[in-house]
Amino acid sequence: MADDFSDKKPSRRQFLAGAAALGAGSTAASSLSASDDDPLITEVQEWAQITGDGVDATPYGLPIEFEKDVVRRNVGWLTADTISSINFSPIHALDGTITPQGCAFERHHSGAIELRKEDYRLMINGLVDQELVFTYEDLERFPREQHVYFCECAANTGMEWAGAQLNGVQFTHGMIHNMEYTGVPLRTLLNEAGLNAAGDLKGKWIFVEGADASSNGRSIPMEKALDDVLVAFKANGEALRKEHGYPARLVVPGWEGNMWVKWLRRVEVLDKPVESREETSKYTDTLADGMSRKWTWAMDAKSVVTSPSPQSPISHGKGPLVISGLAWSGRGAITRVDVTIDGGENWYEARLAQPGTKMALTRFYLDIEWDGEEMFLQSRAHDETGYVQPTKEELREVRGLNSIYHNNCIQTWWIKSNGEAENVEIS
Ligand SMILES: Nc1nc2c(c(=O)[nH]1)N[C@H]1C(S)=C(S)[C@@H](COP(=O)(O)O)O[C@H]1N2
Ligand SMILES: [Mo]
């Protein structure tokens, strides 16, 4: 489906001519915006004449007040109450790849619970040699690992199936965060309990559940459980925030966010999946003929331009413009991202800020000389399996319009000549 649309590159040279004149990493002097008699240059400012705050003012820092709009936001009609709730990461305003916990999206089925480390227990039961219960302190004594992974809710972009709907990348794509996790491989804990009792591990499953009222139970094939799943207790170096499952959560790299059980309390080894609510009536994908597809765990390759975008319009007029965005794949590393400014007529290979790593966000840039004309901006991700992110039309051909989850289509932003942006569909 996704590999039969080819690059058309006829005007690449023409397009790059302007950009080439800039020279690497420099901005044309004519487009710098400060003037010669700018009082911010010629006058001694107040902040240079008085002392600033002392080090005790912020024992734990918050963003400076000028950045107070860079926060999680929700969509009123999606979050009827704050118990079964969702909010979105402000990805239009972030750069790099790491999401600060303080503004990382949250999804709770029955609210965020407060669970003390002292009250934390993790049970491993079922087909194991010896059923075990770990305390938080016990977890801290197993060898740990660190990995950066994205967590994307399966419903991310789910409101966009039928048409362009939410006007902001925070709302269309913000059910994602990307953190550096510290934790113990689940494999280590399962081996501690012993898997001989399970016999042949092929076809075996685990069922994981959380300590909150929803319990959010999910079945995971043993192969994945023994591969890269972590029981994590730190994110970005610090304790998990309450909302992300303090004191410990499951990290299931590349797989839908729903499986990343927070406040993890139990892992049961089974010879079949449980077929719980969260994997039957929810988190299945209804196709055009009404049949539902299940076990769609991996998040397919996806990307989006985060700026410019509706919440991050162009304010500086024509000239040098940094186009930036995020790409990710639940099946491995991002290998390439293409960007088009004319709705897919011509594609240019974006610059990856860092080489892609497995199941983690990759930041991309395309530095252009904007002529001030309207653009239809899109990005297209490629991952290490050779998969190419599909257009909305291609995805609809296969999936129909009944789905909610797993919408990884190419997003279009219409950038108007005044720099404002709008969520649109083109065909
Ligand atoms: N125990 C528990 N785990 C849970 C949930 C929950 O409600 N309870 N929500 C799931 C869903 S649907 C998602 S998308 C992710 C969101 O993780 P976050 O809140 O840290 O962003 O957690 C998952 N784990
Ligand atoms: Mo989710």
Side-chain angles (χ1 to χ4, degrees):
M1 172 189 80
D3 52 6
D4 59 6
F5 54 105
S6 54
D7 280 8
K8 301 176 217 126
K9 295 186 177 161
S11 61
R12 186 184 171 98
R13 257 179 62 219
Q14 180 197 346
F15 168 75
L16 290 176
L22 295 177
S26 72
T27 302
S30 61
S31 67
L32 294 177
S33 39
S35 64
D36 287 350
D37 55 358
D38 186 345
L40 285 164
I41 305 169
T42 57
E43 307 296 321
V44 177
Q45 300 299 317
E46 188 194 325
W47 53 80
Q49 301 177 44
I50 54 166
T51 53
D53 295 333
V55 292
D56 291 340
T58 50
Y60 191 96
L62 286 172
I64 195 163
E65 58 177 308
F66 314 127
E67 300 292 321
K68 65 175 185 296
D69 288 340
V70 184
V71 290
R72 304 176 179 110
R73 291 189 190 284
N74 58 26
V75 171
W77 56 265
L78 272 175
T79 292
D81 61 80
T82 55
I83 301 305
S84 175
S85 56
I86 180 87
N87 58 26
F88 303 83
S89 309
I91 52 173
H92 62 287
L94 302 176
D95 212 310
T97 57
I98 297 292
T99 317
Q101 282 196 70
C103 65
F105 93 96
E106 309 157 8
R107 168 77 175 109
H108 316 306
H109 290 78
S110 52
I113 59 166
E114 199 169 276
L115 182 56
R116 301 186 321 152
K117 282 180 183 167
E118 295 79 358
D119 299 333
Y120 182 76
R121 298 290 182 272
L122 171 58
M123 176 185 290
I124 301 206
N125 71 328
L127 301 173
V128 289
D129 302 340
Q130 190 185 2
E131 299 188 329
L132 294 176
V133 174
F134 302 101
T135 63
Y136 184 83
E137 243 182 3
D138 295 335
L139 289 184
E140 285 187 309
R141 298 178 69 187
F142 287 97
R144 345 183 160 144
E145 291 184 7
Q146 256 146 47
H147 300 274
V148 175
Y149 293 126
F150 74 81
C151 171
E152 183 182 20
C153 178
N156 200 20
T157 321
M159 293 74 74
E160 303 292 311
W161 277 105
Q165 184 152 228
L166 298 171
N167 211 32
V169 72
Q170 176 169 21
F171 307 114
T172 55
H173 291 75
M175 287 187 209
I176 191 161
H177 51 60
N178 190 67
M179 305 195 203
E180 184 203 58
Y181 292 98
T182 302
V184 178
L186 181 60
R187 179 193 332 115
T188 305
L189 302 177
L190 287 169
N191 286 331
E192 189 72 13
L195 290 171
N196 290 328
D200 184 359
L201 294 180
K202 213 161 166 273
K204 295 294 184 298
W205 293 72
I206 60 166
F207 184 72
V208 288
E209 64 181 22
D212 54 330
S214 79
S215 83
N216 195 71
R218 288 293 303 250
S219 308
I220 300 176
M222 182 61 83
E223 198 185 4
K224 180 72 173 174
L226 295 176
D227 182 13
D228 52 6
V229 175
L230 290 177
V231 176
F233 40 86
K234 294 279 161 77
N236 301 339
E238 61 181 358
L240 292 171
R241 296 262 163 100
K242 165 182 149 187
E243 297 82 0
H244 301 298
Y246 181 95
R249 86 172 305 164
L250 205 64
V251 165
V252 190
W255 287 20
E256 58 189 16
N258 185 255
M259 305 174 94
W260 293 48
V261 170
K262 303 191 277 192
W263 314 288
L264 180 70
R265 82 164 166 209
R266 195 168 70 92
V267 178
E268 181 172 357
V269 176
L270 297 156
D271 55 12
K272 57 178 188 306
V274 165
E275 312 258 3
S276 71
R277 171 183 180 275
E278 296 292 308
E279 52 202 10
T280 52
S281 78
K282 304 285 175 208
Y283 300 99
T284 51
D285 309 311
T286 307
L287 303 177
D289 63 1
M291 281 281 276
S292 285
R293 188 174 83 147
K294 68 175 180 180
W295 307 148
T296 48
W297 303 303
M299 302 307 293
D300 284 315
K302 187 165 168 179
S303 70
V304 70
V305 171
T306 52
S307 179
S309 65
Q311 297 161 287
S312 179
I314 305 172
S315 56
H316 53 60
K318 66 183 184 181
L321 171 68
V322 174
I323 297 171
S324 181
L326 292 167
W328 62 95
S329 169
R331 299 184 194 273
I334 289 294
T335 49
R336 180 175 133 191
V337 180
D338 305 317
V339 173
T340 177
I341 65 171
D342 54 17
E345 289 287 311
N346 302 282
W347 290 95
Y348 309 99
E349 192 170 337
R351 177 166 60 86
L352 304 187
Q354 306 268 348
T357 60
K358 284 187 187 301
M359 289 79 116
L361 293 190
T362 299
R363 171 66 58 180
F364 65 84
Y365 297 106
L366 187 73
D367 307 295
I368 69 161
E369 184 80 0
W370 184 40
D371 59 8
E373 299 293 315
E374 69 171 10
M375 295 185 281
F376 289 93
L377 260 187
Q378 300 176 327
S379 63
R380 179 173 78 186
H382 303 241
D383 73 15
E384 63 177 293
T385 69
Y387 179 92
V388 183
Q389 184 182 0
T391 64
K392 218 169 190 179
E393 277 178 7
E394 288 171 322
L395 202 59
R396 281 178 185 149
E397 264 171 43
V398 178
R399 302 273 303 277
L401 289 177
N402 296 328
S403 285
I404 299 169
Y405 308 111
H406 295 274
N407 181 348
N408 67 320
C409 72
I410 289 174
Q411 170 68 40
T412 310
W413 304 125
W414 172 32
I415 314 290
K416 303 170 196 178
S417 53
N418 67 5
E420 283 171 11
E422 205 175 295
N423 179 6
V424 295
E425 276 185 17
I426 49 169
S427 49

